[in-house]
Amino acid sequence: MGKDQKKRAMRRHNPIRVPDSHLAPGLAAAASTSTRADAILPVIQKLESVDATDRAWACAAVSNLISNDPSTRRLLQGRNIIGHLISRLSDTVDEVVVESSGALRNLCIDGGYDVCAEMYNKNLLDALKTFVPKISTALATYVSSNQNIPQDSLSLVFQLAENAITLFWCLSETSNKALNSINNLGLVPFLMSFLSHRQRFPMHLLTAAAQCIYVLSDDNTPVIEALRVDSTYSTCLLDIASNGLNAKRTVSLRVLTCGILKNVSPLPPQTPAGIIDLDRTIILPLLTPIISISLLDASNAVYTIASQPQTEKRPLELKHAPLPDHKSPEEIELEVIETQLRTVQLSLEILTGVCASLDDTEPEGDQEIHESEDVSEDEHEGGPNGVDMDVEPSTLVGLAPLDTISTGTSQDASHLSLLIPSLMLLAHPTPLSFPPPSSASSPSLSVHPPTTSVLGIIHVRALECLNNIFIKMADDGEKAHNESGDGREKRSMVLNGAKDIWSSVWNVLGAVGLTAYGEVSDKRWDMWTVGVGVLWGLARICKGVLVSNEEEVKALMDLCEATKDKKVKVQCIGALGCLAQMPDAIEANKAISLYLLSYIQSPKLAEPTLQAASEIVDIYADETLAYDVNFVAGGYLKVLSESLAGVKKVLKTIDQKKDGGWAARKWGDGVVTNLRDFIKYRRGLEK
């Protein structure tokens, strides 16, 4: 069972905030659902105005029109708004350039991959790359000079830099072609210059630069090597990640630098970052408190704010410097909460990799990281409107303490087990996570769709972390059993409160629901497909001691039949096979074994068939167990003997040339060998 790794498709710090996949196709449908259709034509006209103030106003108006409104965005796209805005990037007036880049940035954020692809195809990158040397020159003068630069001019440069950097990271996730084009620009020195001189720049600009590096360094060799080759980069990143533990304003930045360091690990051993245990010394101490947030409190706060009458937005006018986002006080408060939730999401993404990669060695020597303040002087305490952006720890009520592990000797498993209560809490839906639709035929409605979107991602990411933790624990237990030769009892005793965890996972999945008013919801489906991996890991840990009920067994069978994903089928079959090994659960064993045999008798997909065969061998390896009566009475030996040829045949359908194919074929060969030997062994018992 493979561990879940970070997923590039969901890496963006502020991903598609209002997905429009549920909207009816076509511009006519968009026009009928948009509340701002009448405002589009004046905006388009003013983009070509001879008056620079009108052009800047129009660019800013685009951002205002598309905010949480995919229908209006779609109408603007139909009017070639992207082409108009790209042409404004070459405007002779700086304010227009800044506003047009900001509108393009917001289109990327709200529109997602299709919009980004359109921008790339319309050569946005050609315009963006001309900004890099201009911004670098201006900021180099600012950093090295003691002269007072007018605040208005400096603000324009900062805004342009942030917009350009955000567009770079959005475009990099569009396609491999776009990513390669961005790689060719060699942006690492440009981006790292902001972090290297972080005392001089506002936090939102530093966060954008760090987010861009984080995205570009994700499984991308050119950027990884560029970050590794200069030791000052890793030293800078380590300093940001490890210092300022009490600086609430730096939390998002520090989490991002942890992610970058994780992406480029292992670092050269001669660097300070290369000689420390990054996971235990930096990442876990920083991220563990961050994921101890109460999603229910955040959901309630969003509902309260979003349900209030909205304050009139600030007018779209220019006085000395542009107003980049033109947000109402309520929108700013909601964005503060959303930013906090995005930081939790990012922390979970990083922890997913940590949970998959921790080894069995303990850190050596004194690796304490000293704390120090390291923030920009112009950053005020707290978020907009004085809202505290720090996170407070919460406790998971009703879950037994998880402070002991008896699967093996790995201290890593002990570190990871401490995360389980917080992860279980994050996995559980809130009332805002999966809001019901206004009718049985309409899409789900939310008082604040961006919050609903990020909550759904957080739930899935929390389950992915749990999946990797339980795989780690199960692997440790099986390794200890194989090395020590101890009996079945030691392998099955793993941690205190295991039954509570099992029940809690089922409570989460029950709260999600498999279907939403008759239709499968993507987020709900993701929860189940990831959740079954958690159940399998836990079932492996508790094999032989975990008592399941009929509803749980049926749910796993139903999911196995409903999904077309071979991996999910394998996980369902694996979990069922573990549940069948409760010695006294004779009826459950019979129901599960008959289901598994159906895959062996009529093999279709290789991996599920082979997993079913592997489970049958494991279940009935000990003929002295009470449930072995099912094997004898059901004539399972004859069924397996007659099915062996079919299992061998389906094994040959695994393409060894595909990614993971060689390993799957090797595993399958082992399963067939074990099945053949098992049949021979059981025949010998009948003599």
Side-chain angles (χ1 to χ4, degrees), residues 515-575:
T515 59
Y517 299 88
E519 296 183 4
V520 173
S521 166
D522 287 345
K523 281 292 187 296
R524 286 178 167 88
W525 187 255
D526 288 345
M527 290 287 286
W528 273 88
T529 56
V530 177
V532 72
V534 180
L535 292 172
W536 186 17
L538 189 55
R540 287 174 62 199
I541 293 169
C542 302
K543 189 183 298 184
V545 296
L546 185 62
V547 179
S548 64
N549 57 51
E550 185 177 347
E551 289 77 14
E552 293 169 355
V553 170
K554 185 179 184 303
L556 289 171
M557 291 180 180
D558 289 344
L559 178 60
C560 192
E561 294 304 306
T563 185
K564 296 180 180 179
D565 189 324
K566 291 187 292 185
K567 176 184 176 182
V568 177
K569 285 182 178 293
V570 166
Q571 291 173 328
C572 291
I573 290 170

Short mmCIF file of all heavy atoms in Angstrom, two decimals, residues 515-575:
data_model
loop_
_atom_site.label_atom_id
_atom_site.label_comp_id
_atom_site.label_asym_id
_atom_site.label_seq_id
_atom_site.Cartn_x
_atom_site.Cartn_y
_atom_site.Cartn_z
N THR A 515 -22.78 9.95 -0.86
CA THR A 515 -23.42 10.67 -1.96
C THR A 515 -24.08 11.94 -1.43
O THR A 515 -24.44 12.03 -0.26
CB THR A 515 -24.49 9.82 -2.66
OG1 THR A 515 -25.48 9.43 -1.71
CG2 THR A 515 -23.85 8.58 -3.27
N ALA A 516 -24.21 12.88 -2.31
CA ALA A 516 -24.86 14.14 -1.96
C ALA A 516 -26.16 14.25 -2.75
O ALA A 516 -26.13 14.56 -3.94
CB ALA A 516 -23.94 15.32 -2.26
N TYR A 517 -27.27 13.95 -2.11
CA TYR A 517 -28.57 14.06 -2.75
C TYR A 517 -28.63 13.31 -4.07
O TYR A 517 -29.07 13.80 -5.10
CB TYR A 517 -28.94 15.53 -2.93
CG TYR A 517 -29.03 16.26 -1.62
CD1 TYR A 517 -27.91 16.86 -1.06
CD2 TYR A 517 -30.23 16.30 -0.92
CE1 TYR A 517 -27.98 17.49 0.16
CE2 TYR A 517 -30.31 16.93 0.31
CZ TYR A 517 -29.18 17.53 0.84
OH TYR A 517 -29.25 18.15 2.06
N GLY A 518 -28.09 12.10 -4.04
CA GLY A 518 -28.17 11.23 -5.20
C GLY A 518 -27.02 11.34 -6.16
O GLY A 518 -26.87 10.53 -7.06
N GLU A 519 -26.17 12.35 -6.01
CA GLU A 519 -25.04 12.52 -6.91
C GLU A 519 -23.75 12.50 -6.11
O GLU A 519 -23.64 13.08 -5.05
CB GLU A 519 -25.15 13.85 -7.66
CG GLU A 519 -26.36 13.92 -8.59
CD GLU A 519 -26.39 15.22 -9.36
OE1 GLU A 519 -25.44 16.01 -9.21
OE2 GLU A 519 -27.36 15.44 -10.10
N VAL A 520 -22.74 11.82 -6.66
CA VAL A 520 -21.45 11.74 -5.98
C VAL A 520 -20.78 13.10 -6.03
O VAL A 520 -20.64 13.71 -7.08
CB VAL A 520 -20.54 10.68 -6.65
CG1 VAL A 520 -19.15 10.73 -6.05
CG2 VAL A 520 -21.15 9.30 -6.46
N SER A 521 -20.40 13.60 -4.89
CA SER A 521 -19.68 14.87 -4.79
C SER A 521 -18.18 14.60 -4.81
O SER A 521 -17.69 13.68 -4.17
CB SER A 521 -20.06 15.59 -3.49
OG SER A 521 -19.17 16.65 -3.23
N ASP A 522 -17.42 15.40 -5.54
CA ASP A 522 -15.99 15.15 -5.67
C ASP A 522 -15.30 15.13 -4.32
O ASP A 522 -14.52 14.23 -4.02
CB ASP A 522 -15.36 16.23 -6.56
CG ASP A 522 -15.73 16.04 -8.02
OD1 ASP A 522 -16.22 14.94 -8.37
OD2 ASP A 522 -15.54 16.97 -8.79
N LYS A 523 -15.54 16.13 -3.50
CA LYS A 523 -14.87 16.19 -2.20
C LYS A 523 -15.31 15.03 -1.30
O LYS A 523 -14.49 14.45 -0.59
CB LYS A 523 -15.18 17.53 -1.52
CG LYS A 523 -14.36 18.70 -2.06
CD LYS A 523 -12.90 18.54 -1.69
CE LYS A 523 -12.11 19.78 -2.06
NZ LYS A 523 -12.08 20.01 -3.51
N ARG A 524 -16.57 14.72 -1.33
CA ARG A 524 -17.03 13.58 -0.54
C ARG A 524 -16.38 12.30 -1.04
O ARG A 524 -15.97 11.45 -0.25
CB ARG A 524 -18.56 13.47 -0.63
CG ARG A 524 -19.30 14.52 0.18
CD ARG A 524 -20.81 14.35 0.00
NE ARG A 524 -21.55 15.12 0.98
CZ ARG A 524 -21.93 16.37 0.82
NH1 ARG A 524 -21.62 17.01 -0.29
NH2 ARG A 524 -22.62 17.01 1.76
N TRP A 525 -16.29 12.15 -2.34
CA TRP A 525 -15.67 10.96 -2.89
C TRP A 525 -14.20 10.90 -2.51
O TRP A 525 -13.68 9.84 -2.18
CB TRP A 525 -15.84 10.96 -4.40
CG TRP A 525 -15.39 9.70 -5.06
CD1 TRP A 525 -14.25 9.50 -5.78
CD2 TRP A 525 -16.06 8.44 -5.05
NE1 TRP A 525 -14.17 8.21 -6.22
CE2 TRP A 525 -15.28 7.53 -5.78
CE3 TRP A 525 -17.26 8.00 -4.48
CZ2 TRP A 525 -15.65 6.20 -5.97
CZ3 TRP A 525 -17.62 6.67 -4.67
CH2 TRP A 525 -16.83 5.79 -5.40
N ASP A 526 -13.51 12.05 -2.55
CA ASP A 526 -12.11 12.09 -2.14
C ASP A 526 -11.95 11.65 -0.69
O ASP A 526 -11.00 10.94 -0.35
CB ASP A 526 -11.55 13.50 -2.31
CG ASP A 526 -11.34 13.89 -3.76
OD1 ASP A 526 -11.34 12.98 -4.62
OD2 ASP A 526 -11.17 15.09 -4.03
N MET A 527 -12.87 12.09 0.16
CA MET A 527 -12.80 11.72 1.56
C MET A 527 -12.88 10.20 1.72
O MET A 527 -12.14 9.60 2.50
CB MET A 527 -13.93 12.39 2.34
CG MET A 527 -13.78 13.89 2.49
SD MET A 527 -12.48 14.34 3.67
CE MET A 527 -13.29 13.94 5.23
N TRP A 528 -13.78 9.57 0.98
CA TRP A 528 -13.93 8.12 1.09
C TRP A 528 -12.74 7.39 0.50
O TRP A 528 -12.26 6.40 1.08
CB TRP A 528 -15.22 7.68 0.40
CG TRP A 528 -16.40 7.75 1.32
CD1 TRP A 528 -17.21 8.82 1.54
CD2 TRP A 528 -16.88 6.71 2.18
NE1 TRP A 528 -18.17 8.52 2.47
CE2 TRP A 528 -18.00 7.22 2.88
CE3 TRP A 528 -16.48 5.41 2.42
CZ2 TRP A 528 -18.71 6.47 3.80
CZ3 TRP A 528 -17.19 4.65 3.34
CH2 TRP A 528 -18.30 5.18 4.02
N THR A 529 -12.25 7.83 -0.65
CA THR A 529 -11.15 7.11 -1.29
C THR A 529 -9.85 7.24 -0.51
O THR A 529 -9.02 6.33 -0.54
CB THR A 529 -10.95 7.59 -2.73
OG1 THR A 529 -10.74 9.01 -2.75
CG2 THR A 529 -12.15 7.25 -3.60
N VAL A 530 -9.67 8.36 0.17
CA VAL A 530 -8.50 8.49 1.04
C VAL A 530 -8.77 7.80 2.38
O VAL A 530 -7.91 7.14 2.96
CB VAL A 530 -8.14 9.98 1.27
CG1 VAL A 530 -6.97 10.10 2.24
CG2 VAL A 530 -7.78 10.64 -0.05
N GLY A 531 -10.00 7.94 2.86
CA GLY A 531 -10.36 7.35 4.15
C GLY A 531 -10.21 5.84 4.18
O GLY A 531 -9.83 5.26 5.21
N VAL A 532 -10.47 5.18 3.06
CA VAL A 532 -10.34 3.72 3.06
C VAL A 532 -8.88 3.31 3.21
O VAL A 532 -8.58 2.25 3.77
CB VAL A 532 -10.95 3.13 1.76
CG1 VAL A 532 -10.08 3.40 0.55
CG2 VAL A 532 -11.15 1.62 1.91
N GLY A 533 -7.96 4.17 2.75
CA GLY A 533 -6.55 3.89 2.98
C GLY A 533 -6.21 3.97 4.46
O GLY A 533 -5.42 3.17 4.98
N VAL A 534 -6.81 4.94 5.15
CA VAL A 534 -6.62 5.05 6.60
C VAL A 534 -7.16 3.80 7.29
O VAL A 534 -6.51 3.23 8.18
CB VAL A 534 -7.34 6.30 7.15
CG1 VAL A 534 -7.15 6.41 8.65
CG2 VAL A 534 -6.83 7.56 6.46
N LEU A 535 -8.33 3.36 6.86
CA LEU A 535 -8.93 2.16 7.47
C LEU A 535 -8.07 0.93 7.24
O LEU A 535 -7.93 0.08 8.12
CB LEU A 535 -10.33 1.95 6.89
CG LEU A 535 -11.38 3.00 7.28
CD1 LEU A 535 -12.66 2.78 6.50
CD2 LEU A 535 -11.66 2.97 8.78
N TRP A 536 -7.50 0.80 6.04
CA TRP A 536 -6.65 -0.35 5.78
C TRP A 536 -5.40 -0.33 6.66
O TRP A 536 -5.00 -1.33 7.24
CB TRP A 536 -6.27 -0.42 4.30
CG TRP A 536 -5.53 -1.67 3.93
CD1 TRP A 536 -5.46 -2.83 4.64
CD2 TRP A 536 -4.76 -1.89 2.75
NE1 TRP A 536 -4.69 -3.76 3.98
CE2 TRP A 536 -4.25 -3.22 2.81
CE3 TRP A 536 -4.45 -1.11 1.65
CZ2 TRP A 536 -3.44 -3.74 1.81
CZ3 TRP A 536 -3.66 -1.65 0.64
CH2 TRP A 536 -3.16 -2.95 0.72
N GLY A 537 -4.78 0.84 6.76
CA GLY A 537 -3.60 0.94 7.62
C GLY A 537 -3.92 0.57 9.05
O GLY A 537 -3.19 -0.18 9.71
N LEU A 538 -5.04 1.09 9.54
CA LEU A 538 -5.44 0.78 10.92
C LEU A 538 -5.82 -0.69 11.07
O LEU A 538 -5.52 -1.32 12.09
CB LEU A 538 -6.61 1.68 11.32
CG LEU A 538 -7.04 1.66 12.78
CD1 LEU A 538 -5.86 1.99 13.69
CD2 LEU A 538 -8.17 2.64 13.01
N ALA A 539 -6.47 -1.25 10.05
CA ALA A 539 -6.84 -2.66 10.11
C ALA A 539 -5.61 -3.55 10.11
O ALA A 539 -5.59 -4.59 10.77
CB ALA A 539 -7.75 -3.00 8.92
N ARG A 540 -4.58 -3.16 9.38
CA ARG A 540 -3.32 -3.92 9.40
C ARG A 540 -2.71 -3.92 10.80
O ARG A 540 -2.19 -4.91 11.29
CB ARG A 540 -2.33 -3.34 8.41
CG ARG A 540 -2.62 -3.60 6.95
CD ARG A 540 -1.65 -2.86 6.08
NE ARG A 540 -0.28 -3.30 6.30
CZ ARG A 540 0.80 -2.58 5.95
NH1 ARG A 540 0.64 -1.37 5.41
NH2 ARG A 540 2.00 -3.04 6.17
N ILE A 541 -2.78 -2.74 11.43
CA ILE A 541 -2.22 -2.62 12.78
C ILE A 541 -3.00 -3.49 13.77
O ILE A 541 -2.42 -4.15 14.64
CB ILE A 541 -2.28 -1.14 13.24
CG1 ILE A 541 -1.34 -0.28 12.38
CG2 ILE A 541 -1.91 -1.01 14.70
CD1 ILE A 541 -1.52 1.20 12.58
N CYS A 542 -4.32 -3.51 13.62
CA CYS A 542 -5.18 -4.19 14.59
C CYS A 542 -5.61 -5.57 14.10
O CYS A 542 -6.63 -6.10 14.57
CB CYS A 542 -6.41 -3.33 14.87
SG CYS A 542 -6.02 -1.70 15.50
N LYS A 543 -4.89 -6.13 13.16
CA LYS A 543 -5.29 -7.42 12.58
C LYS A 543 -5.43 -8.48 13.66
O LYS A 543 -4.53 -8.70 14.46
CB LYS A 543 -4.23 -7.85 11.56
CG LYS A 543 -4.63 -9.05 10.72
CD LYS A 543 -3.48 -9.46 9.79
CE LYS A 543 -3.14 -8.36 8.81
NZ LYS A 543 -2.09 -8.80 7.85
N GLY A 544 -6.60 -9.11 13.68
CA GLY A 544 -6.84 -10.18 14.65
C GLY A 544 -7.47 -9.72 15.94
O GLY A 544 -7.87 -10.56 16.75
N VAL A 545 -7.56 -8.40 16.17
CA VAL A 545 -8.15 -7.91 17.42
C VAL A 545 -9.25 -6.88 17.18
O VAL A 545 -9.94 -6.50 18.12
CB VAL A 545 -7.08 -7.27 18.33
CG1 VAL A 545 -6.06 -8.30 18.76
CG2 VAL A 545 -6.39 -6.09 17.65
N LEU A 546 -9.43 -6.47 15.94
CA LEU A 546 -10.41 -5.43 15.63
C LEU A 546 -11.73 -6.05 15.25
O LEU A 546 -11.81 -6.84 14.29
CB LEU A 546 -9.89 -4.54 14.49
CG LEU A 546 -10.76 -3.33 14.13
CD1 LEU A 546 -10.87 -2.38 15.31
CD2 LEU A 546 -10.17 -2.62 12.92
N VAL A 547 -12.76 -5.71 15.97
CA VAL A 547 -14.09 -6.24 15.70
C VAL A 547 -14.85 -5.22 14.87
O VAL A 547 -15.02 -4.07 15.27
CB VAL A 547 -14.86 -6.51 17.01
CG1 VAL A 547 -16.26 -7.04 16.70
CG2 VAL A 547 -14.09 -7.49 17.88
N SER A 548 -15.29 -5.62 13.70
CA SER A 548 -16.06 -4.72 12.84
C SER A 548 -17.54 -5.10 12.92
O SER A 548 -17.91 -6.13 13.48
CB SER A 548 -15.58 -4.83 11.40
OG SER A 548 -15.81 -6.13 10.90
N ASN A 549 -18.38 -4.28 12.31
CA ASN A 549 -19.80 -4.61 12.27
C ASN A 549 -20.24 -4.80 10.82
O ASN A 549 -19.51 -4.52 9.88
CB ASN A 549 -20.65 -3.53 12.96
CG ASN A 549 -20.44 -2.16 12.35
OD1 ASN A 549 -20.53 -1.99 11.13
ND2 ASN A 549 -20.17 -1.17 13.20
N GLU A 550 -21.43 -5.28 10.67
CA GLU A 550 -21.93 -5.62 9.33
C GLU A 550 -22.01 -4.40 8.43
O GLU A 550 -21.73 -4.48 7.22
CB GLU A 550 -23.31 -6.26 9.47
CG GLU A 550 -23.90 -6.76 8.17
CD GLU A 550 -25.25 -7.45 8.36
OE1 GLU A 550 -25.58 -7.76 9.52
OE2 GLU A 550 -25.94 -7.68 7.36
N GLU A 551 -22.38 -3.23 9.00
CA GLU A 551 -22.50 -2.02 8.19
C GLU A 551 -21.14 -1.59 7.63
O GLU A 551 -21.05 -1.15 6.48
CB GLU A 551 -23.10 -0.89 9.03
CG GLU A 551 -24.57 -1.07 9.38
CD GLU A 551 -24.78 -2.08 10.51
OE1 GLU A 551 -23.78 -2.44 11.18
OE2 GLU A 551 -25.93 -2.50 10.72
N GLU A 552 -20.10 -1.70 8.42
CA GLU A 552 -18.76 -1.32 7.97
C GLU A 552 -18.28 -2.24 6.85
O GLU A 552 -17.72 -1.79 5.85
CB GLU A 552 -17.79 -1.34 9.14
CG GLU A 552 -18.07 -0.27 10.18
CD GLU A 552 -17.27 -0.47 11.46
OE1 GLU A 552 -16.57 -1.50 11.58
OE2 GLU A 552 -17.36 0.40 12.34
N VAL A 553 -18.51 -3.54 7.02
CA VAL A 553 -18.11 -4.49 5.99
C VAL A 553 -18.85 -4.21 4.69
O VAL A 553 -18.26 -4.19 3.61
CB VAL A 553 -18.37 -5.94 6.46
CG1 VAL A 553 -18.18 -6.93 5.32
CG2 VAL A 553 -17.44 -6.28 7.62
N LYS A 554 -20.14 -3.96 4.79
CA LYS A 554 -20.94 -3.67 3.60
C LYS A 554 -20.48 -2.38 2.93
O LYS A 554 -20.43 -2.28 1.69
CB LYS A 554 -22.42 -3.58 3.95
CG LYS A 554 -23.33 -3.39 2.74
CD LYS A 554 -24.79 -3.34 3.14
CE LYS A 554 -25.70 -3.26 1.91
NZ LYS A 554 -25.38 -2.09 1.05
N ALA A 555 -20.16 -1.35 3.72
CA ALA A 555 -19.70 -0.08 3.16
C ALA A 555 -18.41 -0.26 2.36
O ALA A 555 -18.24 0.32 1.28
CB ALA A 555 -19.51 0.95 4.27
N LEU A 556 -17.49 -1.06 2.89
CA LEU A 556 -16.24 -1.33 2.17
C LEU A 556 -16.50 -2.09 0.88
O LEU A 556 -15.89 -1.80 -0.16
CB LEU A 556 -15.28 -2.10 3.07
CG LEU A 556 -14.67 -1.32 4.24
CD1 LEU A 556 -13.92 -2.26 5.18
CD2 LEU A 556 -13.74 -0.22 3.73
N MET A 557 -17.40 -3.06 0.93
CA MET A 557 -17.74 -3.80 -0.29
C MET A 557 -18.41 -2.89 -1.32
O MET A 557 -18.11 -2.94 -2.52
CB MET A 557 -18.66 -4.97 0.05
CG MET A 557 -17.99 -6.08 0.84
SD MET A 557 -19.17 -7.42 1.20
CE MET A 557 -18.13 -8.55 2.14
N ASP A 558 -19.33 -2.04 -0.86
CA ASP A 558 -20.02 -1.12 -1.77
C ASP A 558 -19.05 -0.15 -2.43
O ASP A 558 -19.15 0.13 -3.64
CB ASP A 558 -21.11 -0.34 -1.02
CG ASP A 558 -22.29 -1.23 -0.63
OD1 ASP A 558 -22.40 -2.34 -1.18
OD2 ASP A 558 -23.08 -0.79 0.24
N LEU A 559 -18.11 0.38 -1.65
CA LEU A 559 -17.13 1.30 -2.20
C LEU A 559 -16.25 0.59 -3.21
O LEU A 559 -15.92 1.14 -4.27
CB LEU A 559 -16.28 1.90 -1.09
CG LEU A 559 -15.17 2.87 -1.52
CD1 LEU A 559 -15.76 4.07 -2.26
CD2 LEU A 559 -14.35 3.33 -0.33
N CYS A 560 -15.88 -0.65 -2.90
CA CYS A 560 -15.03 -1.43 -3.81
C CYS A 560 -15.73 -1.63 -5.15
O CYS A 560 -15.10 -1.58 -6.21
CB CYS A 560 -14.69 -2.77 -3.17
SG CYS A 560 -13.39 -3.69 -4.01
N GLU A 561 -17.04 -1.85 -5.10
CA GLU A 561 -17.79 -2.05 -6.34
C GLU A 561 -18.03 -0.74 -7.08
O GLU A 561 -18.07 -0.71 -8.31
CB GLU A 561 -19.13 -2.72 -6.03
CG GLU A 561 -19.02 -4.14 -5.50
CD GLU A 561 -18.25 -5.04 -6.44
OE1 GLU A 561 -18.62 -5.12 -7.63
OE2 GLU A 561 -17.26 -5.67 -6.00
N ALA A 562 -18.16 0.35 -6.34
CA ALA A 562 -18.51 1.63 -6.96
C ALA A 562 -17.32 2.29 -7.65
O ALA A 562 -17.48 2.96 -8.67
CB ALA A 562 -19.08 2.58 -5.91
N THR A 563 -16.12 2.08 -7.11
CA THR A 563 -14.95 2.78 -7.66
C THR A 563 -14.37 2.05 -8.87
O THR A 563 -14.46 0.82 -8.97
CB THR A 563 -13.86 2.93 -6.58
OG1 THR A 563 -12.79 3.71 -7.12
CG2 THR A 563 -13.31 1.58 -6.15
N LYS A 564 -13.80 2.83 -9.76
CA LYS A 564 -13.06 2.28 -10.89
C LYS A 564 -11.56 2.36 -10.68
O LYS A 564 -10.78 1.90 -11.51
CB LYS A 564 -13.44 3.03 -12.17
CG LYS A 564 -14.90 2.88 -12.58
CD LYS A 564 -15.21 3.65 -13.85
CE LYS A 564 -16.67 3.49 -14.24
NZ LYS A 564 -17.00 4.25 -15.48
N ASP A 565 -11.17 2.95 -9.55
CA ASP A 565 -9.76 3.13 -9.22
C ASP A 565 -9.21 1.83 -8.65
O ASP A 565 -9.66 1.34 -7.60
CB ASP A 565 -9.64 4.26 -8.19
CG ASP A 565 -8.19 4.67 -7.95
OD1 ASP A 565 -7.30 3.80 -7.96
OD2 ASP A 565 -7.95 5.88 -7.74
N LYS A 566 -8.21 1.26 -9.32
CA LYS A 566 -7.64 -0.01 -8.88
C LYS A 566 -7.02 0.11 -7.49
O LYS A 566 -7.10 -0.82 -6.68
CB LYS A 566 -6.59 -0.49 -9.88
CG LYS A 566 -7.15 -0.94 -11.21
CD LYS A 566 -6.08 -1.55 -12.09
CE LYS A 566 -5.06 -0.50 -12.53
NZ LYS A 566 -4.08 -1.08 -13.49
N LYS A 567 -6.40 1.26 -7.20
CA LYS A 567 -5.78 1.45 -5.90
C LYS A 567 -6.82 1.40 -4.79
O LYS A 567 -6.60 0.76 -3.74
CB LYS A 567 -5.03 2.78 -5.86
CG LYS A 567 -4.43 3.11 -4.50
CD LYS A 567 -3.78 4.48 -4.51
CE LYS A 567 -3.27 4.85 -3.12
NZ LYS A 567 -2.68 6.22 -3.08
N VAL A 568 -7.95 2.04 -5.00
CA VAL A 568 -9.00 2.05 -3.98
C VAL A 568 -9.58 0.66 -3.81
O VAL A 568 -9.87 0.22 -2.69
CB VAL A 568 -10.10 3.07 -4.36
CG1 VAL A 568 -11.24 3.03 -3.34
CG2 VAL A 568 -9.52 4.48 -4.43
N LYS A 569 -9.76 -0.08 -4.91
CA LYS A 569 -10.23 -1.46 -4.81
C LYS A 569 -9.27 -2.30 -3.96
O LYS A 569 -9.69 -3.09 -3.11
CB LYS A 569 -10.37 -2.07 -6.20
CG LYS A 569 -11.58 -1.60 -7.00
CD LYS A 569 -11.66 -2.30 -8.33
CE LYS A 569 -12.87 -1.89 -9.13
NZ LYS A 569 -14.15 -2.34 -8.53
N VAL A 570 -7.98 -2.14 -4.22
CA VAL A 570 -6.98 -2.89 -3.46
C VAL A 570 -7.07 -2.55 -1.98
O VAL A 570 -6.99 -3.43 -1.11
CB VAL A 570 -5.57 -2.60 -4.00
CG1 VAL A 570 -4.49 -3.08 -3.04
CG2 VAL A 570 -5.38 -3.25 -5.36
N GLN A 571 -7.25 -1.27 -1.66
CA GLN A 571 -7.34 -0.86 -0.26
C GLN A 571 -8.58 -1.43 0.42
O GLN A 571 -8.53 -1.87 1.58
CB GLN A 571 -7.32 0.66 -0.17
CG GLN A 571 -5.98 1.28 -0.55
CD GLN A 571 -6.04 2.79 -0.63
OE1 GLN A 571 -7.07 3.37 -0.98
NE2 GLN A 571 -4.94 3.44 -0.32
N CYS A 572 -9.71 -1.42 -0.30
CA CYS A 572 -10.94 -2.00 0.26
C CYS A 572 -10.75 -3.48 0.53
O CYS A 572 -11.12 -3.99 1.60
CB CYS A 572 -12.11 -1.79 -0.71
SG CYS A 572 -12.67 -0.09 -0.90
N ILE A 573 -10.17 -4.18 -0.44
CA ILE A 573 -9.94 -5.62 -0.29
C ILE A 573 -8.96 -5.89 0.85
O ILE A 573 -9.15 -6.82 1.65
CB ILE A 573 -9.44 -6.21 -1.62
CG1 ILE A 573 -10.57 -6.20 -2.65
CG2 ILE A 573 -8.88 -7.62 -1.43
CD1 ILE A 573 -10.12 -6.53 -4.06
N GLY A 574 -7.92 -5.08 0.94
CA GLY A 574 -6.95 -5.25 2.02
C GLY A 574 -7.57 -5.05 3.38
O GLY A 574 -7.30 -5.82 4.33
N ALA A 575 -8.41 -4.01 3.51
CA ALA A 575 -9.07 -3.77 4.80
C ALA A 575 -10.01 -4.92 5.15
O ALA A 575 -10.07 -5.38 6.30
CB ALA A 575 -9.83 -2.45 4.75
#
